[in-house]
PDB file of all heavy atoms in Angstrom:
ATOM      1  N   ASP L  20       0.824  -1.207   0.000  1.00  0.00           N
ATOM      2  CA  ASP L  20       0.000   0.000   0.000  1.00  0.00           C
ATOM      3  C   ASP L  20       0.857   1.254   0.000  1.00  0.00           C
ATOM      4  O   ASP L  20       0.527   2.251  -0.666  1.00  0.00           O
ATOM      5  CB  ASP L  20      -0.929  -0.008   1.218  1.00  0.00           C
ATOM      6  CG  ASP L  20      -2.103  -0.957   1.038  1.00  0.00           C
ATOM      7  OD1 ASP L  20      -2.399  -1.309  -0.112  1.00  0.00           O
ATOM      8  OD2 ASP L  20      -2.716  -1.348   2.051  1.00  0.00           O
ATOM      9  N   LYS L  21       1.948   1.223   0.755  1.00  0.00           N
ATOM     10  CA  LYS L  21       2.842   2.380   0.766  1.00  0.00           C
ATOM     11  C   LYS L  21       3.490   2.594  -0.603  1.00  0.00           C
ATOM     12  O   LYS L  21       3.584   3.716  -1.104  1.00  0.00           O
ATOM     13  CB  LYS L  21       3.924   2.188   1.833  1.00  0.00           C
ATOM     14  CG  LYS L  21       3.457   2.467   3.251  1.00  0.00           C
ATOM     15  CD  LYS L  21       3.111   3.934   3.420  1.00  0.00           C
ATOM     16  CE  LYS L  21       2.716   4.264   4.833  1.00  0.00           C
ATOM     17  NZ  LYS L  21       2.359   5.708   4.984  1.00  0.00           N
ATOM     18  N   VAL L  22       3.934   1.503  -1.208  1.00  0.00           N
ATOM     19  CA  VAL L  22       4.594   1.615  -2.515  1.00  0.00           C
ATOM     20  C   VAL L  22       3.595   2.034  -3.591  1.00  0.00           C
ATOM     21  O   VAL L  22       3.915   2.830  -4.490  1.00  0.00           O
ATOM     22  CB  VAL L  22       5.272   0.285  -2.884  1.00  0.00           C
ATOM     23  CG1 VAL L  22       5.845   0.339  -4.296  1.00  0.00           C
ATOM     24  CG2 VAL L  22       6.375  -0.037  -1.882  1.00  0.00           C
ATOM     25  N   LEU L  23       2.375   1.532  -3.511  1.00  0.00           N
ATOM     26  CA  LEU L  23       1.369   1.862  -4.518  1.00  0.00           C
ATOM     27  C   LEU L  23       0.950   3.329  -4.463  1.00  0.00           C
ATOM     28  O   LEU L  23       0.325   3.828  -5.410  1.00  0.00           O
ATOM     29  CB  LEU L  23       0.144   0.967  -4.336  1.00  0.00           C
ATOM     30  CG  LEU L  23       0.317  -0.486  -4.783  1.00  0.00           C
ATOM     31  CD1 LEU L  23      -0.890  -1.315  -4.370  1.00  0.00           C
ATOM     32  CD2 LEU L  23       0.522  -0.558  -6.288  1.00  0.00           C
ATOM     33  N   ALA L  24       1.267   3.999  -3.354  1.00  0.00           N
ATOM     34  CA  ALA L  24       0.958   5.426  -3.287  1.00  0.00           C
ATOM     35  C   ALA L  24       1.694   6.212  -4.369  1.00  0.00           C
ATOM     36  O   ALA L  24       1.224   7.266  -4.810  1.00  0.00           O
ATOM     37  CB  ALA L  24       1.316   5.972  -1.902  1.00  0.00           C
ATOM     38  N   LEU L  25       2.837   5.683  -4.814  1.00  0.00           N
ATOM     39  CA  LEU L  25       3.616   6.388  -5.844  1.00  0.00           C
ATOM     40  C   LEU L  25       2.836   6.552  -7.144  1.00  0.00           C
ATOM     41  O   LEU L  25       2.597   7.677  -7.588  1.00  0.00           O
ATOM     42  CB  LEU L  25       4.931   5.648  -6.091  1.00  0.00           C
ATOM     43  CG  LEU L  25       5.898   5.554  -4.911  1.00  0.00           C
ATOM     44  CD1 LEU L  25       7.047   4.619  -5.271  1.00  0.00           C
ATOM     45  CD2 LEU L  25       6.422   6.919  -4.550  1.00  0.00           C
ATOM     46  N   PRO L  26       2.412   5.453  -7.805  1.00  0.00           N
ATOM     47  CA  PRO L  26       1.693   5.635  -9.066  1.00  0.00           C
ATOM     48  C   PRO L  26       0.283   6.188  -8.898  1.00  0.00           C
ATOM     49  O   PRO L  26      -0.297   6.674  -9.863  1.00  0.00           O
ATOM     50  CB  PRO L  26       1.643   4.218  -9.655  1.00  0.00           C
ATOM     51  CG  PRO L  26       1.761   3.308  -8.480  1.00  0.00           C
ATOM     52  CD  PRO L  26       2.651   4.031  -7.516  1.00  0.00           C
ATOM     53  N   VAL L  27      -0.265   6.114  -7.689  1.00  0.00           N
ATOM     54  CA  VAL L  27      -1.618   6.635  -7.488  1.00  0.00           C
ATOM     55  C   VAL L  27      -1.609   8.154  -7.355  1.00  0.00           C
ATOM     56  O   VAL L  27      -2.441   8.853  -7.940  1.00  0.00           O
ATOM     57  CB  VAL L  27      -2.260   5.982  -6.246  1.00  0.00           C
ATOM     58  CG1 VAL L  27      -3.567   6.684  -5.892  1.00  0.00           C
ATOM     59  CG2 VAL L  27      -2.528   4.502  -6.509  1.00  0.00           C
ATOM     60  N   TYR L  28      -0.679   8.693  -6.579  1.00  0.00           N
ATOM     61  CA  TYR L  28      -0.670  10.135  -6.314  1.00  0.00           C
ATOM     62  C   TYR L  28       0.207  10.933  -7.278  1.00  0.00           C
ATOM     63  O   TYR L  28      -0.009  12.129  -7.466  1.00  0.00           O
ATOM     64  CB  TYR L  28      -0.200  10.398  -4.874  1.00  0.00           C
ATOM     65  CG  TYR L  28      -1.211   9.998  -3.838  1.00  0.00           C
ATOM     66  CD1 TYR L  28      -1.148   8.761  -3.208  1.00  0.00           C
ATOM     67  CD2 TYR L  28      -2.246  10.859  -3.479  1.00  0.00           C
ATOM     68  CE1 TYR L  28      -2.079   8.380  -2.253  1.00  0.00           C
ATOM     69  CE2 TYR L  28      -3.184  10.494  -2.522  1.00  0.00           C
ATOM     70  CZ  TYR L  28      -3.097   9.244  -1.912  1.00  0.00           C
ATOM     71  OH  TYR L  28      -4.026   8.875  -0.977  1.00  0.00           O
ATOM     72  N   LEU L  29       1.204  10.287  -7.889  1.00  0.00           N
ATOM     73  CA  LEU L  29       2.124  11.010  -8.772  1.00  0.00           C
ATOM     74  C   LEU L  29       1.428  11.733  -9.923  1.00  0.00           C
ATOM     75  O   LEU L  29       1.778  12.879 -10.232  1.00  0.00           O
ATOM     76  CB  LEU L  29       3.176  10.042  -9.317  1.00  0.00           C
ATOM     77  CG  LEU L  29       4.186  10.615 -10.311  1.00  0.00           C
ATOM     78  CD1 LEU L  29       5.003  11.721  -9.660  1.00  0.00           C
ATOM     79  CD2 LEU L  29       5.091   9.511 -10.852  1.00  0.00           C
ATOM     80  N   PRO L  30       0.424  11.139 -10.598  1.00  0.00           N
ATOM     81  CA  PRO L  30      -0.170  11.831 -11.747  1.00  0.00           C
ATOM     82  C   PRO L  30      -0.869  13.141 -11.423  1.00  0.00           C
ATOM     83  O   PRO L  30      -1.220  13.884 -12.344  1.00  0.00           O
ATOM     84  CB  PRO L  30      -1.180  10.792 -12.286  1.00  0.00           C
ATOM     85  CG  PRO L  30      -0.657   9.480 -11.832  1.00  0.00           C
ATOM     86  CD  PRO L  30      -0.077   9.754 -10.480  1.00  0.00           C
ATOM     87  N   VAL L  31      -1.091  13.448 -10.142  1.00  0.00           N
ATOM     88  CA  VAL L  31      -1.676  14.749  -9.817  1.00  0.00           C
ATOM     89  C   VAL L  31      -0.765  15.871 -10.293  1.00  0.00           C
ATOM     90  O   VAL L  31      -1.218  16.996 -10.557  1.00  0.00           O
ATOM     91  CB  VAL L  31      -1.933  14.842  -8.292  1.00  0.00           C
ATOM     92  CG1 VAL L  31      -2.439  16.225  -7.904  1.00  0.00           C
ATOM     93  CG2 VAL L  31      -2.957  13.785  -7.872  1.00  0.00           C
ATOM     94  N   ALA L  32       0.524  15.581 -10.438  1.00  0.00           N
ATOM     95  CA  ALA L  32       1.453  16.582 -10.969  1.00  0.00           C
ATOM     96  C   ALA L  32       1.100  16.997 -12.385  1.00  0.00           C
ATOM     97  O   ALA L  32       1.567  18.044 -12.867  1.00  0.00           O
ATOM     98  CB  ALA L  32       2.878  16.038 -10.928  1.00  0.00           C
ATOM     99  N   ALA L  33       0.267  16.221 -13.072  1.00  0.00           N
ATOM    100  CA  ALA L  33      -0.157  16.589 -14.427  1.00  0.00           C
ATOM    101  C   ALA L  33      -0.942  17.894 -14.450  1.00  0.00           C
ATOM    102  O   ALA L  33      -1.123  18.486 -15.517  1.00  0.00           O
ATOM    103  CB  ALA L  33      -1.000  15.460 -15.034  1.00  0.00           C
ATOM    104  N   TRP L  34      -1.394  18.349 -13.284  1.00  0.00           N
ATOM    105  CA  TRP L  34      -2.095  19.631 -13.217  1.00  0.00           C
ATOM    106  C   TRP L  34      -1.186  20.775 -13.687  1.00  0.00           C
ATOM    107  O   TRP L  34      -1.656  21.757 -14.245  1.00  0.00           O
ATOM    108  CB  TRP L  34      -2.562  19.884 -11.793  1.00  0.00           C
ATOM    109  CG  TRP L  34      -3.363  21.133 -11.615  1.00  0.00           C
ATOM    110  CD1 TRP L  34      -2.951  22.319 -11.093  1.00  0.00           C
ATOM    111  CD2 TRP L  34      -4.741  21.333 -11.976  1.00  0.00           C
ATOM    112  NE1 TRP L  34      -3.966  23.239 -11.092  1.00  0.00           N
ATOM    113  CE2 TRP L  34      -5.087  22.656 -11.625  1.00  0.00           C
ATOM    114  CE3 TRP L  34      -5.712  20.513 -12.559  1.00  0.00           C
ATOM    115  CZ2 TRP L  34      -6.352  23.163 -11.831  1.00  0.00           C
ATOM    116  CZ3 TRP L  34      -6.980  21.022 -12.772  1.00  0.00           C
ATOM    117  CH2 TRP L  34      -7.290  22.336 -12.402  1.00  0.00           C
ATOM    118  N   TRP L  35       0.128  20.630 -13.445  1.00  0.00           N
ATOM    119  CA  TRP L  35       1.080  21.661 -13.852  1.00  0.00           C
ATOM    120  C   TRP L  35       1.832  21.296 -15.126  1.00  0.00           C
ATOM    121  O   TRP L  35       2.548  22.129 -15.670  1.00  0.00           O
ATOM    122  CB  TRP L  35       2.102  21.903 -12.733  1.00  0.00           C
ATOM    123  CG  TRP L  35       1.501  22.506 -11.508  1.00  0.00           C
ATOM    124  CD1 TRP L  35       1.055  23.787 -11.350  1.00  0.00           C
ATOM    125  CD2 TRP L  35       1.273  21.853 -10.265  1.00  0.00           C
ATOM    126  NE1 TRP L  35       0.568  23.972 -10.081  1.00  0.00           N
ATOM    127  CE2 TRP L  35       0.684  22.798  -9.384  1.00  0.00           C
ATOM    128  CE3 TRP L  35       1.503  20.560  -9.782  1.00  0.00           C
ATOM    129  CZ2 TRP L  35       0.333  22.494  -8.082  1.00  0.00           C
ATOM    130  CZ3 TRP L  35       1.150  20.259  -8.480  1.00  0.00           C
ATOM    131  CH2 TRP L  35       0.568  21.213  -7.650  1.00  0.00           C
ATOM    132  N   LEU L  36       1.724  20.054 -15.551  1.00  0.00           N
ATOM    133  CA  LEU L  36       2.504  19.598 -16.698  1.00  0.00           C
ATOM    134  C   LEU L  36       1.655  19.607 -17.967  1.00  0.00           C
ATOM    135  O   LEU L  36       0.485  19.234 -17.947  1.00  0.00           O
ATOM    136  CB  LEU L  36       3.041  18.181 -16.456  1.00  0.00           C
ATOM    137  CG  LEU L  36       3.996  18.009 -15.269  1.00  0.00           C
ATOM    138  CD1 LEU L  36       4.361  16.540 -15.116  1.00  0.00           C
ATOM    139  CD2 LEU L  36       5.250  18.855 -15.466  1.00  0.00           C
ATOM    140  N   GLY L  37       2.254  19.989 -19.053  1.00  0.00           N
ATOM    141  CA  GLY L  37       1.582  19.953 -20.336  1.00  0.00           C
ATOM    142  C   GLY L  37       2.473  19.310 -21.386  1.00  0.00           C
ATOM    143  O   GLY L  37       3.659  19.055 -21.146  1.00  0.00           O
ATOM    144  N   GLY L  38       1.927  19.048 -22.555  1.00  0.00           N
ATOM    145  CA  GLY L  38       2.710  18.490 -23.638  1.00  0.00           C
ATOM    146  C   GLY L  38       3.163  17.070 -23.366  1.00  0.00           C
ATOM    147  O   GLY L  38       2.513  16.312 -22.630  1.00  0.00           O
ATOM    148  N   PRO L  39       4.292  16.675 -23.913  1.00  0.00           N
ATOM    149  CA  PRO L  39       4.775  15.292 -23.762  1.00  0.00           C
ATOM    150  C   PRO L  39       5.018  14.893 -22.308  1.00  0.00           C
ATOM    151  O   PRO L  39       4.814  13.743 -21.934  1.00  0.00           O
ATOM    152  CB  PRO L  39       6.087  15.299 -24.567  1.00  0.00           C
ATOM    153  CG  PRO L  39       5.950  16.433 -25.525  1.00  0.00           C
ATOM    154  CD  PRO L  39       5.140  17.468 -24.818  1.00  0.00           C
ATOM    155  N   ALA L  40       5.483  15.847 -21.481  1.00  0.00           N
ATOM    156  CA  ALA L  40       5.737  15.519 -20.077  1.00  0.00           C
ATOM    157  C   ALA L  40       4.451  15.094 -19.385  1.00  0.00           C
ATOM    158  O   ALA L  40       4.442  14.167 -18.565  1.00  0.00           O
ATOM    159  CB  ALA L  40       6.361  16.714 -19.370  1.00  0.00           C
ATOM    160  N   GLY L  41       3.345  15.752 -19.691  1.00  0.00           N
ATOM    161  CA  GLY L  41       2.076  15.380 -19.081  1.00  0.00           C
ATOM    162  C   GLY L  41       1.556  14.050 -19.593  1.00  0.00           C
ATOM    163  O   GLY L  41       1.075  13.215 -18.832  1.00  0.00           O
ATOM    164  N   TRP L  42       1.684  13.832 -20.893  1.00  0.00           N
ATOM    165  CA  TRP L  42       1.171  12.588 -21.479  1.00  0.00           C
ATOM    166  C   TRP L  42       1.952  11.366 -21.006  1.00  0.00           C
ATOM    167  O   TRP L  42       1.464  10.238 -21.116  1.00  0.00           O
ATOM    168  CB  TRP L  42       1.224  12.681 -23.000  1.00  0.00           C
ATOM    169  CG  TRP L  42       0.067  13.457 -23.569  1.00  0.00           C
ATOM    170  CD1 TRP L  42       0.087  14.730 -24.049  1.00  0.00           C
ATOM    171  CD2 TRP L  42      -1.283  13.005 -23.692  1.00  0.00           C
ATOM    172  NE1 TRP L  42      -1.161  15.113 -24.463  1.00  0.00           N
ATOM    173  CE2 TRP L  42      -2.030  14.070 -24.259  1.00  0.00           C
ATOM    174  CE3 TRP L  42      -1.940  11.821 -23.370  1.00  0.00           C
ATOM    175  CZ2 TRP L  42      -3.386  13.984 -24.507  1.00  0.00           C
ATOM    176  CZ3 TRP L  42      -3.306  11.726 -23.631  1.00  0.00           C
ATOM    177  CH2 TRP L  42      -4.012  12.787 -24.187  1.00  0.00           C
ATOM    178  N   ALA L  43       3.146  11.568 -20.492  1.00  0.00           N
ATOM    179  CA  ALA L  43       3.912  10.430 -19.974  1.00  0.00           C
ATOM    180  C   ALA L  43       3.207   9.764 -18.797  1.00  0.00           C
ATOM    181  O   ALA L  43       3.468   8.594 -18.493  1.00  0.00           O
ATOM    182  CB  ALA L  43       5.307  10.893 -19.559  1.00  0.00           C
ATOM    183  N   LEU L  44       2.304  10.495 -18.139  1.00  0.00           N
ATOM    184  CA  LEU L  44       1.560   9.947 -17.006  1.00  0.00           C
ATOM    185  C   LEU L  44       0.226   9.332 -17.424  1.00  0.00           C
ATOM    186  O   LEU L  44      -0.509   8.826 -16.574  1.00  0.00           O
ATOM    187  CB  LEU L  44       1.301  11.047 -15.963  1.00  0.00           C
ATOM    188  CG  LEU L  44       2.550  11.687 -15.357  1.00  0.00           C
ATOM    189  CD1 LEU L  44       2.158  12.884 -14.495  1.00  0.00           C
ATOM    190  CD2 LEU L  44       3.313  10.664 -14.522  1.00  0.00           C
TER     191      LEU L  44
END
């Protein structure tokens, strides 16, 4: 559960990311 927090919460950074960097998530 602790490790799974990484892929679950990381994509929230897409709020600030655009273009290819955002689509990587």
